[in-house]
Amino acid sequence: MTTLLYDRDCGFCRWCVAKVLAWDSGRNVRPLALQDPEAERLLAGMPGEARMASWHLVDEDGRVSSAGRGLAPLLRELPGGRPLADVAERIPGPLDHAYRFVADRRGTLGPLLSEGAKRRADRRIAARGAGGR
């Protein structure tokens, strides 16, 4: 199973993770908050600042993909995501730039989400049993 690490203190991040989990009907992705002690083990050797600067995907072999470069492996885990993953794999640089553009504005984007949307996201994450709010 692939683990998706995210910032549980970020409403926008939780909302995004919940969207991934809604797509993940095969239950191939396990959400885990970066603040969970297991995250430190999965991201061993990664400085704390780098750990909190991005979302990370850790596959069953322990390979870590972060930011925009994590999109292709994530899409490969989702139903119907392979064609999109093939495209994403060809443009890692632009995806990293797009990721950074959005991530640098998550403090602005989070408050735009309703409290209801955040609660629904938290329920979906909690239903998967890991690192919710």
Side-chain angles (χ1 to χ4, degrees):
M1 178 170 291
T2 298
T3 302
L4 175 59
L5 295 114
Y6 67 97
D7 181 358
R8 78 167 161 230
D9 295 334
C10 170
F12 181 73
C13 301
R14 296 189 326 265
W15 180 81
C16 290
V17 168
K19 295 301 179 191
V20 168
L21 297 178
W23 186 355
D24 181 29
S25 60
R27 300 180 68 89
N28 295 322
V29 177
R30 176 178 73 113
L32 183 70
L34 285 162
Q35 294 86 347
D36 189 287
E38 184 184 353
E40 192 168 330
R41 181 183 62 77
L42 289 172
L43 301 175
M46 183 182 289
E49 186 176 305
R51 191 178 308 143
M52 295 305 295
S54 173
W55 70 280
H56 310 279
L57 199 69
V58 181
D59 71 14
E60 291 179 343
D61 295 326
R63 285 185 296 263
V64 177
S65 303
S66 303
R69 294 176 191 270
L71 188 58
L74 175 62
L75 288 167
R76 289 194 195 297
E77 296 294 327
L78 301 173
R82 286 195 183 278
L84 293 172
D86 291 343
V87 172
E89 204 164 62
R90 291 185 185 102
I91 55 168
L95 284 176
D96 271 339
H97 290 296
Y99 176 87
R100 186 55 39 214
F101 180 84
V102 173
D104 288 347
R105 289 156 182 79
R106 64 187 180 150
T108 302
L109 296 170
L112 297 176
L113 297 169
S114 71
E115 290 305 312
K118 291 176 199 174
R119 279 192 304 274
R120 287 187 297 277
D122 292 340
R123 283 194 300 268
R124 186 175 300 276
I125 291 168
R128 290 288 180 103
R133 190 159 176 71

PDB file of all heavy atoms in Angstrom, residues 1-5 17 20-32 55-58 73-79 125 128-130:
ATOM      1  N   MET A   1       0.843  -1.187   0.000  1.00  0.00           N
ATOM      2  CA  MET A   1       0.000   0.000   0.000  1.00  0.00           C
ATOM      3  C   MET A   1       0.886   1.246   0.000  1.00  0.00           C
ATOM      4  O   MET A   1       1.911   1.290   0.659  1.00  0.00           O
ATOM      5  CB  MET A   1      -0.912  -0.001   1.230  1.00  0.00           C
ATOM      6  CG  MET A   1      -1.779   1.232   1.304  1.00  0.00           C
ATOM      7  SD  MET A   1      -3.066   1.179   2.551  1.00  0.00           S
ATOM      8  CE  MET A   1      -4.135  -0.054   1.857  1.00  0.00           C
ATOM      9  N   THR A   2       0.457   2.229  -0.725  1.00  0.00           N
ATOM     10  CA  THR A   2       1.167   3.495  -0.813  1.00  0.00           C
ATOM     11  C   THR A   2       0.662   4.420   0.287  1.00  0.00           C
ATOM     12  O   THR A   2      -0.537   4.475   0.562  1.00  0.00           O
ATOM     13  CB  THR A   2       0.922   4.127  -2.194  1.00  0.00           C
ATOM     14  OG1 THR A   2       1.460   3.246  -3.188  1.00  0.00           O
ATOM     15  CG2 THR A   2       1.588   5.473  -2.316  1.00  0.00           C
ATOM     16  N   THR A   3       1.579   5.145   0.919  1.00  0.00           N
ATOM     17  CA  THR A   3       1.218   6.061   1.997  1.00  0.00           C
ATOM     18  C   THR A   3       1.348   7.494   1.497  1.00  0.00           C
ATOM     19  O   THR A   3       2.377   7.883   0.949  1.00  0.00           O
ATOM     20  CB  THR A   3       2.126   5.839   3.222  1.00  0.00           C
ATOM     21  OG1 THR A   3       1.998   4.482   3.656  1.00  0.00           O
ATOM     22  CG2 THR A   3       1.744   6.769   4.363  1.00  0.00           C
ATOM     23  N   LEU A   4       0.298   8.266   1.698  1.00  0.00           N
ATOM     24  CA  LEU A   4       0.265   9.677   1.340  1.00  0.00           C
ATOM     25  C   LEU A   4       0.390  10.490   2.626  1.00  0.00           C
ATOM     26  O   LEU A   4      -0.488  10.445   3.485  1.00  0.00           O
ATOM     27  CB  LEU A   4      -1.050   9.997   0.625  1.00  0.00           C
ATOM     28  CG  LEU A   4      -1.328  11.455   0.279  1.00  0.00           C
ATOM     29  CD1 LEU A   4      -0.238  12.027  -0.619  1.00  0.00           C
ATOM     30  CD2 LEU A   4      -2.685  11.582  -0.372  1.00  0.00           C
ATOM     31  N   LEU A   5       1.506  11.196   2.758  1.00  0.00           N
ATOM     32  CA  LEU A   5       1.760  12.008   3.949  1.00  0.00           C
ATOM     33  C   LEU A   5       1.380  13.451   3.673  1.00  0.00           C
ATOM     34  O   LEU A   5       1.750  14.004   2.627  1.00  0.00           O
ATOM     35  CB  LEU A   5       3.233  11.905   4.336  1.00  0.00           C
ATOM     36  CG  LEU A   5       3.622  10.494   4.776  1.00  0.00           C
ATOM     37  CD1 LEU A   5       4.595   9.903   3.796  1.00  0.00           C
ATOM     38  CD2 LEU A   5       4.166  10.507   6.161  1.00  0.00           C
ATOM     39  N   VAL A  17      -6.420  15.679   0.249  1.00  0.00           N
ATOM     40  CA  VAL A  17      -6.252  14.254   0.557  1.00  0.00           C
ATOM     41  C   VAL A  17      -7.599  13.549   0.481  1.00  0.00           C
ATOM     42  O   VAL A  17      -7.712  12.446  -0.067  1.00  0.00           O
ATOM     43  CB  VAL A  17      -5.589  14.052   1.938  1.00  0.00           C
ATOM     44  CG1 VAL A  17      -5.681  12.606   2.392  1.00  0.00           C
ATOM     45  CG2 VAL A  17      -4.142  14.506   1.892  1.00  0.00           C
ATOM     46  N   VAL A  20      -8.458  12.753  -3.040  1.00  0.00           N
ATOM     47  CA  VAL A  20      -7.702  11.578  -3.506  1.00  0.00           C
ATOM     48  C   VAL A  20      -8.361  10.305  -2.979  1.00  0.00           C
ATOM     49  O   VAL A  20      -8.554   9.331  -3.722  1.00  0.00           O
ATOM     50  CB  VAL A  20      -6.221  11.656  -3.067  1.00  0.00           C
ATOM     51  CG1 VAL A  20      -5.513  10.327  -3.297  1.00  0.00           C
ATOM     52  CG2 VAL A  20      -5.504  12.788  -3.794  1.00  0.00           C
ATOM     53  N   LEU A  21      -8.719  10.303  -1.699  1.00  0.00           N
ATOM     54  CA  LEU A  21      -9.326   9.109  -1.100  1.00  0.00           C
ATOM     55  C   LEU A  21     -10.680   8.797  -1.730  1.00  0.00           C
ATOM     56  O   LEU A  21     -11.035   7.623  -1.876  1.00  0.00           O
ATOM     57  CB  LEU A  21      -9.463   9.286   0.414  1.00  0.00           C
ATOM     58  CG  LEU A  21      -8.156   9.437   1.181  1.00  0.00           C
ATOM     59  CD1 LEU A  21      -8.429   9.661   2.664  1.00  0.00           C
ATOM     60  CD2 LEU A  21      -7.233   8.253   0.962  1.00  0.00           C
ATOM     61  N   ALA A  22     -11.426   9.822  -2.123  1.00  0.00           N
ATOM     62  CA  ALA A  22     -12.709   9.586  -2.797  1.00  0.00           C
ATOM     63  C   ALA A  22     -12.496   8.893  -4.135  1.00  0.00           C
ATOM     64  O   ALA A  22     -13.285   8.032  -4.534  1.00  0.00           O
ATOM     65  CB  ALA A  22     -13.451  10.919  -2.983  1.00  0.00           C
ATOM     66  N   TRP A  23     -11.428   9.256  -4.821  1.00  0.00           N
ATOM     67  CA  TRP A  23     -11.093   8.652  -6.115  1.00  0.00           C
ATOM     68  C   TRP A  23     -10.569   7.228  -5.919  1.00  0.00           C
ATOM     69  O   TRP A  23     -10.746   6.353  -6.762  1.00  0.00           O
ATOM     70  CB  TRP A  23     -10.056   9.536  -6.792  1.00  0.00           C
ATOM     71  CG  TRP A  23      -9.678   9.158  -8.198  1.00  0.00           C
ATOM     72  CD1 TRP A  23     -10.064   8.068  -8.921  1.00  0.00           C
ATOM     73  CD2 TRP A  23      -8.808   9.904  -9.050  1.00  0.00           C
ATOM     74  NE1 TRP A  23      -9.486   8.087 -10.170  1.00  0.00           N
ATOM     75  CE2 TRP A  23      -8.713   9.207 -10.268  1.00  0.00           C
ATOM     76  CE3 TRP A  23      -8.094  11.088  -8.896  1.00  0.00           C
ATOM     77  CZ2 TRP A  23      -7.926   9.661 -11.318  1.00  0.00           C
ATOM     78  CZ3 TRP A  23      -7.329  11.531  -9.948  1.00  0.00           C
ATOM     79  CH2 TRP A  23      -7.248  10.826 -11.146  1.00  0.00           C
ATOM     80  N   ASP A  24      -9.933   6.984  -4.796  1.00  0.00           N
ATOM     81  CA  ASP A  24      -9.239   5.718  -4.530  1.00  0.00           C
ATOM     82  C   ASP A  24     -10.200   4.612  -4.098  1.00  0.00           C
ATOM     83  O   ASP A  24     -10.150   4.123  -2.972  1.00  0.00           O
ATOM     84  CB  ASP A  24      -8.171   5.953  -3.459  1.00  0.00           C
ATOM     85  CG  ASP A  24      -7.368   4.713  -3.133  1.00  0.00           C
ATOM     86  OD1 ASP A  24      -7.200   3.852  -4.018  1.00  0.00           O
ATOM     87  OD2 ASP A  24      -6.910   4.604  -1.983  1.00  0.00           O
ATOM     88  N   SER A  25     -11.061   4.194  -4.993  1.00  0.00           N
ATOM     89  CA  SER A  25     -12.043   3.165  -4.660  1.00  0.00           C
ATOM     90  C   SER A  25     -11.395   1.815  -4.349  1.00  0.00           C
ATOM     91  O   SER A  25     -11.976   0.992  -3.648  1.00  0.00           O
ATOM     92  CB  SER A  25     -13.054   3.015  -5.795  1.00  0.00           C
ATOM     93  OG  SER A  25     -12.393   2.644  -6.996  1.00  0.00           O
ATOM     94  N   GLY A  26     -10.189   1.601  -4.842  1.00  0.00           N
ATOM     95  CA  GLY A  26      -9.487   0.344  -4.569  1.00  0.00           C
ATOM     96  C   GLY A  26      -8.750   0.338  -3.231  1.00  0.00           C
ATOM     97  O   GLY A  26      -8.155  -0.669  -2.860  1.00  0.00           O
ATOM     98  N   ARG A  27      -8.790   1.461  -2.527  1.00  0.00           N
ATOM     99  CA  ARG A  27      -8.153   1.604  -1.214  1.00  0.00           C
ATOM    100  C   ARG A  27      -6.658   1.267  -1.286  1.00  0.00           C
ATOM    101  O   ARG A  27      -6.123   0.545  -0.455  1.00  0.00           O
ATOM    102  CB  ARG A  27      -8.875   0.780  -0.169  1.00  0.00           C
ATOM    103  CG  ARG A  27     -10.337   1.215  -0.020  1.00  0.00           C
ATOM    104  CD  ARG A  27     -11.094   0.435   1.013  1.00  0.00           C
ATOM    105  NE  ARG A  27     -10.649   0.685   2.357  1.00  0.00           N
ATOM    106  CZ  ARG A  27     -11.105   1.639   3.180  1.00  0.00           C
ATOM    107  NH1 ARG A  27     -12.040   2.445   2.750  1.00  0.00           N
ATOM    108  NH2 ARG A  27     -10.636   1.764   4.396  1.00  0.00           N
ATOM    109  N   ASN A  28      -5.999   1.827  -2.296  1.00  0.00           N
ATOM    110  CA  ASN A  28      -4.562   1.616  -2.486  1.00  0.00           C
ATOM    111  C   ASN A  28      -3.718   2.659  -1.775  1.00  0.00           C
ATOM    112  O   ASN A  28      -2.505   2.494  -1.670  1.00  0.00           O
ATOM    113  CB  ASN A  28      -4.223   1.661  -3.978  1.00  0.00           C
ATOM    114  CG  ASN A  28      -4.865   0.525  -4.734  1.00  0.00           C
ATOM    115  OD1 ASN A  28      -4.952  -0.586  -4.241  1.00  0.00           O
ATOM    116  ND2 ASN A  28      -5.352   0.819  -5.923  1.00  0.00           N
ATOM    117  N   VAL A  29      -4.347   3.736  -1.321  1.00  0.00           N
ATOM    118  CA  VAL A  29      -3.628   4.847  -0.711  1.00  0.00           C
ATOM    119  C   VAL A  29      -4.028   4.964   0.754  1.00  0.00           C
ATOM    120  O   VAL A  29      -5.213   4.979   1.081  1.00  0.00           O
ATOM    121  CB  VAL A  29      -3.933   6.167  -1.451  1.00  0.00           C
ATOM    122  CG1 VAL A  29      -3.237   7.343  -0.786  1.00  0.00           C
ATOM    123  CG2 VAL A  29      -3.536   6.059  -2.921  1.00  0.00           C
ATOM    124  N   ARG A  30      -3.023   5.052   1.600  1.00  0.00           N
ATOM    125  CA  ARG A  30      -3.250   5.217   3.040  1.00  0.00           C
ATOM    126  C   ARG A  30      -2.815   6.621   3.437  1.00  0.00           C
ATOM    127  O   ARG A  30      -1.653   6.992   3.227  1.00  0.00           O
ATOM    128  CB  ARG A  30      -2.428   4.187   3.813  1.00  0.00           C
ATOM    129  CG  ARG A  30      -2.513   4.337   5.320  1.00  0.00           C
ATOM    130  CD  ARG A  30      -1.701   3.254   6.016  1.00  0.00           C
ATOM    131  NE  ARG A  30      -0.286   3.491   5.888  1.00  0.00           N
ATOM    132  CZ  ARG A  30       0.530   3.793   6.913  1.00  0.00           C
ATOM    133  NH1 ARG A  30       0.047   3.861   8.141  1.00  0.00           N
ATOM    134  NH2 ARG A  30       1.805   3.987   6.705  1.00  0.00           N
ATOM    135  N   PRO A  31      -3.723   7.424   3.995  1.00  0.00           N
ATOM    136  CA  PRO A  31      -3.331   8.760   4.439  1.00  0.00           C
ATOM    137  C   PRO A  31      -2.618   8.693   5.787  1.00  0.00           C
ATOM    138  O   PRO A  31      -2.972   7.887   6.645  1.00  0.00           O
ATOM    139  CB  PRO A  31      -4.672   9.484   4.580  1.00  0.00           C
ATOM    140  CG  PRO A  31      -5.634   8.397   4.946  1.00  0.00           C
ATOM    141  CD  PRO A  31      -5.143   7.163   4.213  1.00  0.00           C
ATOM    142  N   LEU A  32      -1.615   9.526   5.946  1.00  0.00           N
ATOM    143  CA  LEU A  32      -0.897   9.598   7.219  1.00  0.00           C
ATOM    144  C   LEU A  32      -0.417  11.032   7.413  1.00  0.00           C
ATOM    145  O   LEU A  32       0.248  11.588   6.529  1.00  0.00           O
ATOM    146  CB  LEU A  32       0.302   8.644   7.231  1.00  0.00           C
ATOM    147  CG  LEU A  32       1.092   8.578   8.532  1.00  0.00           C
ATOM    148  CD1 LEU A  32       0.272   7.895   9.631  1.00  0.00           C
ATOM    149  CD2 LEU A  32       2.397   7.848   8.315  1.00  0.00           C
ATOM    150  N   TRP A  55       3.783  17.567   0.447  1.00  0.00           N
ATOM    151  CA  TRP A  55       3.209  16.255   0.681  1.00  0.00           C
ATOM    152  C   TRP A  55       4.199  15.243   0.124  1.00  0.00           C
ATOM    153  O   TRP A  55       5.055  15.577  -0.701  1.00  0.00           O
ATOM    154  CB  TRP A  55       1.834  16.120   0.034  1.00  0.00           C
ATOM    155  CG  TRP A  55       1.837  16.066  -1.463  1.00  0.00           C
ATOM    156  CD1 TRP A  55       1.943  17.130  -2.304  1.00  0.00           C
ATOM    157  CD2 TRP A  55       1.758  14.916  -2.287  1.00  0.00           C
ATOM    158  NE1 TRP A  55       1.913  16.708  -3.604  1.00  0.00           N
ATOM    159  CE2 TRP A  55       1.804  15.346  -3.631  1.00  0.00           C
ATOM    160  CE3 TRP A  55       1.652  13.555  -2.033  1.00  0.00           C
ATOM    161  CZ2 TRP A  55       1.741  14.471  -4.696  1.00  0.00           C
ATOM    162  CZ3 TRP A  55       1.585  12.689  -3.100  1.00  0.00           C
ATOM    163  CH2 TRP A  55       1.636  13.140  -4.410  1.00  0.00           C
ATOM    164  N   HIS A  56       4.113  14.022   0.586  1.00  0.00           N
ATOM    165  CA  HIS A  56       5.047  12.976   0.173  1.00  0.00           C
ATOM    166  C   HIS A  56       4.261  11.690  -0.053  1.00  0.00           C
ATOM    167  O   HIS A  56       3.290  11.414   0.638  1.00  0.00           O
ATOM    168  CB  HIS A  56       6.113  12.736   1.243  1.00  0.00           C
ATOM    169  CG  HIS A  56       6.768  13.986   1.708  1.00  0.00           C
ATOM    170  ND1 HIS A  56       7.782  14.599   1.012  1.00  0.00           N
ATOM    171  CD2 HIS A  56       6.528  14.760   2.795  1.00  0.00           C
ATOM    172  CE1 HIS A  56       8.148  15.697   1.654  1.00  0.00           C
ATOM    173  NE2 HIS A  56       7.406  15.809   2.732  1.00  0.00           N
ATOM    174  N   LEU A  57       4.732  10.914  -0.992  1.00  0.00           N
ATOM    175  CA  LEU A  57       4.168   9.614  -1.284  1.00  0.00           C
ATOM    176  C   LEU A  57       5.266   8.587  -1.038  1.00  0.00           C
ATOM    177  O   LEU A  57       6.371   8.745  -1.557  1.00  0.00           O
ATOM    178  CB  LEU A  57       3.722   9.570  -2.747  1.00  0.00           C
ATOM    179  CG  LEU A  57       2.734   8.494  -3.127  1.00  0.00           C
ATOM    180  CD1 LEU A  57       1.378   8.775  -2.493  1.00  0.00           C
ATOM    181  CD2 LEU A  57       2.596   8.428  -4.634  1.00  0.00           C
ATOM    182  N   VAL A  58       4.962   7.571  -0.237  1.00  0.00           N
ATOM    183  CA  VAL A  58       5.941   6.522   0.051  1.00  0.00           C
ATOM    184  C   VAL A  58       5.353   5.202  -0.427  1.00  0.00           C
ATOM    185  O   VAL A  58       4.282   4.789   0.032  1.00  0.00           O
ATOM    186  CB  VAL A  58       6.274   6.455   1.568  1.00  0.00           C
ATOM    187  CG1 VAL A  58       7.318   5.384   1.838  1.00  0.00           C
ATOM    188  CG2 VAL A  58       6.747   7.817   2.073  1.00  0.00           C
ATOM    189  N   PRO A  73       3.324   8.814  -9.592  1.00  0.00           N
ATOM    190  CA  PRO A  73       3.124   7.565  -8.845  1.00  0.00           C
ATOM    191  C   PRO A  73       1.786   7.515  -8.114  1.00  0.00           C
ATOM    192  O   PRO A  73       1.193   6.443  -7.984  1.00  0.00           O
ATOM    193  CB  PRO A  73       4.300   7.511  -7.871  1.00  0.00           C
ATOM    194  CG  PRO A  73       5.032   8.780  -7.988  1.00  0.00           C
ATOM    195  CD  PRO A  73       4.540   9.516  -9.181  1.00  0.00           C
ATOM    196  N   LEU A  74       1.283   8.664  -7.666  1.00  0.00           N
ATOM    197  CA  LEU A  74      -0.029   8.673  -7.021  1.00  0.00           C
ATOM    198  C   LEU A  74      -1.110   8.302  -8.031  1.00  0.00           C
ATOM    199  O   LEU A  74      -1.967   7.456  -7.747  1.00  0.00           O
ATOM    200  CB  LEU A  74      -0.324  10.048  -6.415  1.00  0.00           C
ATOM    201  CG  LEU A  74      -1.727  10.213  -5.826  1.00  0.00           C
ATOM    202  CD1 LEU A  74      -1.953   9.233  -4.676  1.00  0.00           C
ATOM    203  CD2 LEU A  74      -1.945  11.643  -5.372  1.00  0.00           C
ATOM    204  N   LEU A  75      -1.070   8.904  -9.202  1.00  0.00           N
ATOM    205  CA  LEU A  75      -2.084   8.622 -10.220  1.00  0.00           C
ATOM    206  C   LEU A  75      -2.077   7.149 -10.616  1.00  0.00           C
ATOM    207  O   LEU A  75      -3.126   6.583 -10.927  1.00  0.00           O
ATOM    208  CB  LEU A  75      -1.863   9.509 -11.443  1.00  0.00           C
ATOM    209  CG  LEU A  75      -2.206  10.986 -11.236  1.00  0.00           C
ATOM    210  CD1 LEU A  75      -1.660  11.825 -12.392  1.00  0.00           C
ATOM    211  CD2 LEU A  75      -3.701  11.170 -11.082  1.00  0.00           C
ATOM    212  N   ARG A  76      -0.919   6.513 -10.607  1.00  0.00           N
ATOM    213  CA  ARG A  76      -0.841   5.085 -10.952  1.00  0.00           C
ATOM    214  C   ARG A  76      -1.599   4.212  -9.952  1.00  0.00           C
ATOM    215  O   ARG A  76      -1.984   3.093 -10.272  1.00  0.00           O
ATOM    216  CB  ARG A  76       0.608   4.639 -11.049  1.00  0.00           C
ATOM    217  CG  ARG A  76       1.305   5.201 -12.244  1.00  0.00           C
ATOM    218  CD  ARG A  76       2.631   4.513 -12.535  1.00  0.00           C
ATOM    219  NE  ARG A  76       3.434   5.279 -13.460  1.00  0.00           N
ATOM    220  CZ  ARG A  76       3.117   5.571 -14.713  1.00  0.00           C
ATOM    221  NH1 ARG A  76       1.989   5.163 -15.209  1.00  0.00           N
ATOM    222  NH2 ARG A  76       3.926   6.285 -15.478  1.00  0.00           N
ATOM    223  N   GLU A  77      -1.815   4.713  -8.751  1.00  0.00           N
ATOM    224  CA  GLU A  77      -2.536   3.965  -7.719  1.00  0.00           C
ATOM    225  C   GLU A  77      -4.046   4.132  -7.818  1.00  0.00           C
ATOM    226  O   GLU A  77      -4.790   3.417  -7.164  1.00  0.00           O
ATOM    227  CB  GLU A  77      -2.077   4.419  -6.319  1.00  0.00           C
ATOM    228  CG  GLU A  77      -0.630   4.135  -6.008  1.00  0.00           C
ATOM    229  CD  GLU A  77      -0.331   2.654  -5.937  1.00  0.00           C
ATOM    230  OE1 GLU A  77      -1.211   1.870  -5.520  1.00  0.00           O
ATOM    231  OE2 GLU A  77       0.804   2.271  -6.294  1.00  0.00           O
ATOM    232  N   LEU A  78      -4.501   5.089  -8.616  1.00  0.00           N
ATOM    233  CA  LEU A  78      -5.918   5.429  -8.655  1.00  0.00           C
ATOM    234  C   LEU A  78      -6.597   4.849  -9.895  1.00  0.00           C
ATOM    235  O   LEU A  78      -5.984   4.788 -10.970  1.00  0.00           O
ATOM    236  CB  LEU A  78      -6.070   6.951  -8.635  1.00  0.00           C
ATOM    237  CG  LEU A  78      -5.452   7.638  -7.412  1.00  0.00           C
ATOM    238  CD1 LEU A  78      -5.500   9.146  -7.566  1.00  0.00           C
ATOM    239  CD2 LEU A  78      -6.138   7.187  -6.139  1.00  0.00           C
ATOM    240  N   PRO A  79      -7.849   4.434  -9.763  1.00  0.00           N
ATOM    241  CA  PRO A  79      -8.566   3.860 -10.902  1.00  0.00           C
ATOM    242  C   PRO A  79      -8.620   4.845 -12.073  1.00  0.00           C
ATOM    243  O   PRO A  79      -9.000   6.003 -11.905  1.00  0.00           O
ATOM    244  CB  PRO A  79      -9.977   3.608 -10.364  1.00  0.00           C
ATOM    245  CG  PRO A  79      -9.875   3.692  -8.890  1.00  0.00           C
ATOM    246  CD  PRO A  79      -8.679   4.518  -8.565  1.00  0.00           C
ATOM    247  N   ILE A 125     -10.912  11.045   5.842  1.00  0.00           N
ATOM    248  CA  ILE A 125      -9.571  10.632   6.261  1.00  0.00           C
ATOM    249  C   ILE A 125      -9.663   9.702   7.463  1.00  0.00           C
ATOM    250  O   ILE A 125      -9.022   8.645   7.501  1.00  0.00           O
ATOM    251  CB  ILE A 125      -8.707  11.863   6.571  1.00  0.00           C
ATOM    252  CG1 ILE A 125      -8.406  12.635   5.276  1.00  0.00           C
ATOM    253  CG2 ILE A 125      -7.399  11.449   7.257  1.00  0.00           C
ATOM    254  CD1 ILE A 125      -7.815  14.017   5.493  1.00  0.00           C
ATOM    255  N   ARG A 128     -10.453   6.091   6.853  1.00  0.00           N
ATOM    256  CA  ARG A 128      -9.309   5.261   6.427  1.00  0.00           C
ATOM    257  C   ARG A 128      -8.433   4.899   7.612  1.00  0.00           C
ATOM    258  O   ARG A 128      -7.486   4.138   7.477  1.00  0.00           O
ATOM    259  CB  ARG A 128      -8.479   5.979   5.374  1.00  0.00           C
ATOM    260  CG  ARG A 128      -9.168   6.104   4.040  1.00  0.00           C
ATOM    261  CD  ARG A 128      -9.239   4.762   3.310  1.00  0.00           C
ATOM    262  NE  ARG A 128      -9.904   4.933   2.045  1.00  0.00           N
ATOM    263  CZ  ARG A 128      -9.260   4.983   0.885  1.00  0.00           C
ATOM    264  NH1 ARG A 128      -7.958   4.853   0.829  1.00  0.00           N
ATOM    265  NH2 ARG A 128      -9.952   5.173  -0.222  1.00  0.00           N
ATOM    266  N   GLY A 129      -8.710   5.534   8.765  1.00  0.00           N
ATOM    267  CA  GLY A 129      -8.065   5.110  10.002  1.00  0.00           C
ATOM    268  C   GLY A 129      -6.663   5.601  10.257  1.00  0.00           C
ATOM    269  O   GLY A 129      -5.956   4.992  11.042  1.00  0.00           O
ATOM    270  N   ALA A 130      -6.245   6.681   9.638  1.00  0.00           N
ATOM    271  CA  ALA A 130      -4.872   7.109   9.902  1.00  0.00           C
ATOM    272  C   ALA A 130      -4.745   8.628   9.888  1.00  0.00           C
ATOM    273  O   ALA A 130      -5.140   9.270   8.933  1.00  0.00           O
ATOM    274  CB  ALA A 130      -3.924   6.534   8.850  1.00  0.00           C
TER     275      ALA A 130
END
